[in-house]
Amino acid sequence: MTIQLEGKKIQDQDQFMVPQTNAFGHNFRDYNNAQSERQKGVETFYKTQHINQTYDFVKKMREDYTKLDKAKMSIWECCELLNDVVDDSDPDLDEPQIQHLLQSAEAIRKDYPNEDWLHLTALIHDLGKILVLPKFGGLPQWAVVGDTFPLGCSFDESNIHHKYFKENQDFNNSIYNTKNGIYYDFIGLENVMMSWGHDDYMYMVAKENGTTLPSAGLFIIRYHSFYPLHKNGAYKHLMNDEDEENLKWLHVFNKYDLYSKSKVHVNVEEVKPYYMSLIEKYFPAKLRW
């Protein structure tokens, strides 16, 4: 099958073999196995996230970080900063984030060799996780990682650990707790306030710094953690036609984002020249963060 999108083609690929278990020997995105300390920590993370990610909180974060006044550096410099970041919300991997980025990018590069924008999107999609570092605000992990979801409307039950939303101040707010809330059908996701984290931050950085990545690349960066949408089909009533087209590329990307996680490391110095050439093609030398 071939999907035409913005002059590019999406083809079903047979090369990428989806593994049956993650790096710990469990099913991928298994949030119900409470046998390990890591799984217990993941649930605690989501409880904290669901209670604290409110519409007012996200509005404040966006107002602060849209200033892009935390640093000025290149994309690759940011990649190197991720050596100090481990994602506490991820039940599938506890490796430094730069390895996850390169594993995703290299897997996509193998199956989609002509879509260099997609390779670069994979490399940078999680760079926003630098928000946990002191220089970028030192935000708690619940304000940086984990599945994302809309604010300003009801919390769909497909959200992981949905029960903890009952302690969120927006849960009983009559303005927010209907299906549409403050939105209307087909409003377009760009007009929807998403929970704050690395996705929205990196989207903001890329867009405001004038990236030439196609809209599908920006869509992937902004919504790759929006699992209620791209895994469960929730919130589709808020999407417009452009969202529907870009979602096709996000579905392609998601397979590699989720299933390429491995304890086998990519040789950074070996692949660096290729990704440096893509960075130069699609981004300025220095970006405001």
Side-chain angles (χ1 to χ4, degrees):
M1 178 183 70
T2 300
I3 302 171
Q4 190 76 34
L5 174 61
E6 295 183 351
K8 301 175 177 63
K9 294 181 179 180
I10 301 176
Q11 294 184 337
D12 282 348
Q13 302 291 333
D14 297 325
Q15 296 97 314
F16 188 77
M17 300 300 293
V18 175
Q20 297 301 307
T21 58
N22 64 18
F24 302 106
H26 301 305
N27 293 330
F28 282 89
R29 286 182 58 82
D30 181 1
Y31 294 97
N32 298 313
N33 183 343
Q35 299 304 310
S36 71
E37 287 302 314
R38 184 163 183 80
Q39 291 285 357
K40 294 174 184 176
V42 169
E43 179 166 356
T44 299
F45 162 87
Y46 274 108
K47 178 179 180 179
T48 309
Q49 185 211 45
H50 289 356
I51 293 172
N52 290 285
Q53 287 272 5
T54 65
Y55 188 92
D56 288 344
F57 169 78
V58 174
K59 184 178 179 182
K60 181 179 182 298
M61 288 295 100
R62 289 188 60 82
E63 289 172 353
D64 181 19
Y65 281 93
T66 195
K67 300 171 187 175
L68 298 178
D69 59 359
K70 304 293 187 289
K72 192 169 185 179
M73 62 181 173
S74 68
I75 289 287
W76 192 263
E77 287 174 307
C78 188
C79 288
E80 292 179 332
L81 287 179
L82 286 195
N83 279 321
D84 299 325
V85 176
V86 172
D87 185 342
D88 287 347
S89 73
D90 190 346
D92 298 323
L93 194 65
D94 59 358
E95 294 291 310
Q97 287 298 296
I98 191 170
Q99 279 299 320
H100 165 53
L101 299 182
L102 287 170
Q103 288 166 357
S104 300
E106 284 294 282
I108 290 176
R109 181 183 175 189
K110 180 180 178 182
D111 286 355
Y112 290 85
N114 298 320
E115 307 296 346
D116 65 357
W117 66 273
L118 192 56
H119 312 163
L120 182 58
T121 298
L123 180 73
I124 70 172
H125 76 280
D126 274 347
L127 291 189
K129 291 180 180 180
I130 59 172
L131 288 173
V132 305
L133 302 177
K135 185 175 182 179
F136 299 91
L139 297 183
Q141 292 235 353
W142 61 262
V144 180
V145 297
D147 291 7
T148 58
F149 46 86
L151 281 306
C153 59
S154 60
F155 302 110
D156 190 88
E157 291 191 0
S158 64
N159 284 289
I160 293 297
H161 296 303
H162 177 272
K163 59 186 177 182
Y164 295 122
F165 282 119
K166 293 179 180 179
E167 299 178 58
N168 184 302
Q169 69 179 33
D170 292 351
F171 187 83
N172 293 312
N173 186 322
S174 60
I175 299 175
Y176 299 149
N177 66 5
T178 62
K179 183 177 180 179
N180 279 353
I182 62 174
Y183 311 114
Y184 54 84
D185 286 351
F186 316 121
I187 187 174
L189 292 180
E190 65 178 344
N191 298 306
V192 173
M193 186 84 82
M194 298 294 295
S195 54
W196 177 251
H198 72 280
D199 313 63
D200 217 20
Y201 175 59
M202 188 58 209
Y203 164 79
M204 185 185 298
V205 168
K207 185 176 181 181
E208 294 303 315
N209 280 281
T211 182
T212 55
L213 285 172
S215 64
L218 289 172
F219 188 91
I220 288 169
I221 292 169
R222 194 175 196 182
Y223 302 112
H224 68 270
S225 300
F226 191 5
Y227 277 89
L229 170 67
H230 59 75
K231 181 182 179 183
N232 302 108
Y235 301 105
K236 280 197 168 185
H237 62 288
L238 299 175
M239 296 173 64
N240 60 22
D241 291 342
E242 184 177 9
D243 294 332
E244 291 283 359
E245 287 301 305
N246 287 335
L247 182 60
K248 297 170 185 176
W249 279 108
L250 179 51
H251 281 143
V252 170
F253 169 82
N254 179 246
K255 179 174 68 172
Y256 299 90
D257 182 27
L258 181 58
Y259 297 116
S260 66
K261 297 172 184 177
S262 170
K263 291 286 188 178
V264 180
H265 285 194
V266 175
N267 186 319
V268 177
E269 293 306 313
E270 185 177 298
V271 301
K272 181 178 177 179
Y274 174 68
Y275 290 102
M276 289 294 289
S277 71
L278 299 188
I279 292 168
E280 183 178 354
K281 179 178 178 180
Y282 289 103
F283 282 93
K286 296 286 184 179
L287 288 75
R288 293 178 299 114
W289 298 80

